Amino acid sequence: MLETSTAGTSTYARHRLAWLDQLAYELFRVTGRSQLMQCLWLYDRDVNRAALVQTYERLIALSFNRLIEPSSLPWGRPRWVAGTFVPFEQSSDPLPRSRLLQWANQQARAPVDPVIGPAGRMAIQPFDDGSTAVSIVGSHLVLDGMGALRVIAAAVNGTGIPNPYLPQGARGRLSGCLSDAWQILADAPQTVAALARIAQAGWSRPVAPGRSPAVPAADAIHDPTIVELPSVVVNVESRVWLACEQRLGGGMSTLLPGFVASLASRLGRRRLSDGAISLLVPRSRRRGLADERALAIEFHMMNVAPEGLTKSLEPVNAARALLRGARKSQTDVLTSLLPAIVLMPRTVASTLVNRLFDYADDLPVSCSDLGMLPEGLARIDGTPCRHLLTRAVDVNVTRQDLERSHGHLVVVASRYDKTVSLCIEACQLRPAATTVDELRLLVSQTLTDFGLEAVIDA
């Protein structure tokens, strides 16, 4: 169900978070793990800073600049409120060009908080070869990747919908409590129905004894140590990518899941039951710039056997055909349970979500294809950049969290000009935590297996 504000929306329901957004927020409060998106522009020259200021001012006037205001009531729905951005960071000291991704990682680790702010940051960095990079980082709790790209493109183009939100605390405590109480009453039928579905499906029961965990229970101890997830960026010429896809008999956009499945196999992320790779594929369901949802996406699971993919992509063609015909997604099941899950203790909610996506057996891999980036997005300073890429970044990830998910692999692909870019973030804990050099080697070996020439930045 689309949850967004319209002119006819009741006052108590205005600008509330959608159920899925609220669940993501609650899980963030449990783990402290920040899931971010980052867009990087690279110019061969200095940038037009006056034009960047103008784009930035437009951006903070749009819905991208918002925060989450928790309710004062125990079961009240949080709401969107207007946010404030910090002034964008400008450095005058050039860095070595080889440190581009290190600088980008540093920007992604600057404080971003969807509740107290800022929910996003912008920075500019010159390099010693005369090039300049621009970075925008934002929290996934505010907008998903495709939503953020559309809003940034709207800021560049001077279009978009002005920020409709009230400042934090503007409702007043008494007014806010009354409004949230009405919301709780209005949600009660959905909550009761969701509780009944959870009880009927047995989601709250323990895992069956016959199922073996992916790691020994003794290893799943509380370890708050923060792990920095290694990442690399792969750039392949579009003609080389397309030629490989055709040579292997792939259909449209089948090389990406084939490549990711092969890389996942090298990282040991194979399903325990049959050795297949479980690719978690997001699909955008955003309905224009007026759609208030942060996560306007649904997730589908695509299962691919990794053997022989470097010779033929036919297994991926078949898996994609099944995916297109699927009537239900992982998100469909989750959506029906959300009105109850968000009211549960946060650790219980986290357990239910883990059960749904089956981290213990399926070891899912996130595989996101953004396709050709929106027109106009590349003109962040008024003229097209030389290179543009987008990526997902997870920060403040604990070893305990990686034990829970049995590692991590996220791949985000996009196309700009004549280049296909793959932004890869991955980590396996055994026999030791993956390093950047090890990830680069695994990616390089997978590229070689597919006969792909590429440039890898790390």
Side-chain angles (χ1 to χ4, degrees):
M1 180 180 68
L2 176 64
E3 291 186 288
T4 188
S5 296
T6 64
T9 303
S10 301
T11 302
Y12 65 77
R14 197 162 295 157
H15 305 318
R16 67 188 176 191
L17 269 65
W19 290 118
L20 184 59
D21 299 340
Q22 185 174 343
L23 176 62
Y25 164 63
E26 296 294 344
L27 296 182
F28 163 73
R29 295 173 71 186
V30 174
T31 65
R33 178 173 182 166
S34 291
Q35 294 180 308
L36 310 172
M37 60 220 157
Q38 184 175 39
C39 196
L40 290 167
W41 294 260
L42 185 65
Y43 286 88
D44 284 333
R45 51 167 175 79
D46 193 10
V47 291
N48 183 335
R49 301 192 181 228
L52 276 174
V53 168
Q54 187 177 47
T55 298
Y56 181 76
E57 289 175 347
R58 289 171 178 167
L59 184 60
I60 62 176
L62 300 179
S63 58
F64 187 81
N65 184 21
R66 61 182 181 177
L67 297 172
I68 296 170
E69 183 177 68
S71 172
S72 299
L73 300 181
W75 293 291
R77 299 276 292 273
R79 300 177 187 266
W80 296 115
V81 293
T84 55
F85 268 39
V86 294
F88 63 81
E89 178 185 322
Q90 301 183 66
S91 174
S92 57
D93 298 325
L95 293 174
R97 173 62 179 79
S98 59
R99 289 184 57 189
L100 170 63
L101 201 55
Q102 294 177 39
W103 173 79
N105 289 337
Q106 181 182 355
Q107 293 304 312
R109 286 167 176 78
V112 169
D113 192 299
V115 177
I116 64 175
R121 289 180 177 273
M122 180 174 171
I124 306 168
Q125 176 62 52
F127 293 93
D128 59 5
D129 63 351
S131 62
T132 309
V134 179
S135 164
I136 292 181
V137 176
S139 170
H140 263 308
L141 293 183
V142 174
L143 273 175
D144 56 42
M146 188 57 73
L149 295 180
R150 289 180 179 178
V151 171
I152 295 171
V156 170
N157 296 329
T159 59
I161 297 175
N163 192 319
Y165 306 114
L166 297 173
Q168 284 183 307
R171 289 192 303 162
R173 184 172 179 82
L174 178 59
S175 175
C177 287
L178 289 173
S179 178
D180 291 350
W182 278 112
Q183 183 68 64
I184 292 171
L185 292 174
D187 292 338
Q190 296 180 66
T191 303
V192 171
L195 285 170
R197 282 190 288 268
I198 290 173
Q200 185 177 10
W203 281 89
S204 58
R205 290 198 293 268
V207 178
R211 298 178 68 180
S212 22
V215 295
D219 290 334
I221 59 176
H222 177 70
D223 188 343
T225 304
I226 300 297
V227 179
E228 288 198 10
L229 302 178
S231 61
V232 299
V233 175
V234 178
N235 293 311
V236 185
E237 289 186 31
S238 296
R239 62 173 183 81
V240 172
W241 185 267
L242 181 59
C244 178
E245 195 167 56
Q246 292 175 341
R247 172 169 51 82
L248 298 179
M252 183 66 69
S253 301
T254 54
L255 179 54
L256 176 64
F259 178 87
V260 174
S262 295
L263 177 60
S265 180
R266 285 185 176 275
L267 282 160
R269 294 195 68 79
R270 302 183 63 156
R271 198 161 61 186
L272 297 183
S273 58
D274 57 7
I277 305 297
S278 298
L279 299 177
L280 201 58
V281 181
R283 286 180 173 174
S284 177
R285 290 294 180 259
R286 189 162 298 280
R287 305 184 186 183
L289 293 173
D291 191 337
E292 284 198 320
R293 293 174 296 172
L295 302 175
I297 50 180
E298 64 182 22
F299 293 97
H300 291 264
M301 196 75 84
M302 182 166 70
N303 302 312
V304 179
E307 293 81 10
L309 294 179
T310 58
K311 305 296 182 184
S312 172
L313 290 172
E314 183 54 40
V316 183
N317 295 340
R320 282 189 66 88
L322 289 174
L323 193 64
R324 284 194 299 270
R327 295 184 178 180
K328 290 279 185 183
S329 69
Q330 301 296 103
T331 319
D332 291 328
V333 180
L334 181 62
T335 300
S336 68
L337 308 178
L338 284 175
I341 290 179
V342 296
L343 300 182
M344 292 180 174
R346 296 167 195 162
T347 51
V348 176
S350 180
T351 300
L352 287 174
V353 173
N354 294 344
R355 288 279 303 276
L356 175 63
F357 290 103
D358 209 350
Y359 287 104
D361 285 349
D362 285 355
L363 306 183
V365 175
S366 180
C367 178
S368 178
D369 188 354
L370 297 176
M372 189 64 69
L373 295 176
E375 184 179 355
L377 180 68
R379 301 192 303 271
I380 189 73
D381 85 334
T383 56
C385 61
R386 181 176 67 81
H387 191 51
L388 172 64
L389 59 87
T390 60
R391 63 183 191 140
V393 185
D394 285 52
V395 299
N396 202 31
V397 181
T398 64
R399 185 177 179 91
Q400 179 189 18
D401 203 30
L402 289 174
E403 292 282 8
R404 175 190 63 81
S405 59
H406 312 295
H408 176 84
L409 176 56
V410 172
V411 181
V412 178
S414 60
R415 294 165 178 79
Y416 170 65
D417 196 17
K418 299 177 182 178
T419 302
V420 176
S421 297
L422 310 181
C423 297
I424 302 169
E425 185 181 69
C427 186
Q428 291 300 111
L429 294 174
R430 289 171 177 75
T434 308
T435 65
V436 173
D437 288 340
E438 289 169 345
L439 178 58
R440 182 202 284 267
L441 178 60
L442 291 171
V443 170
S444 178
Q445 291 170 340
T446 308
L447 288 166
T448 300
D449 289 345
F450 279 89
L452 286 167
E453 293 184 2
V455 176
I456 304 176
D457 290 323

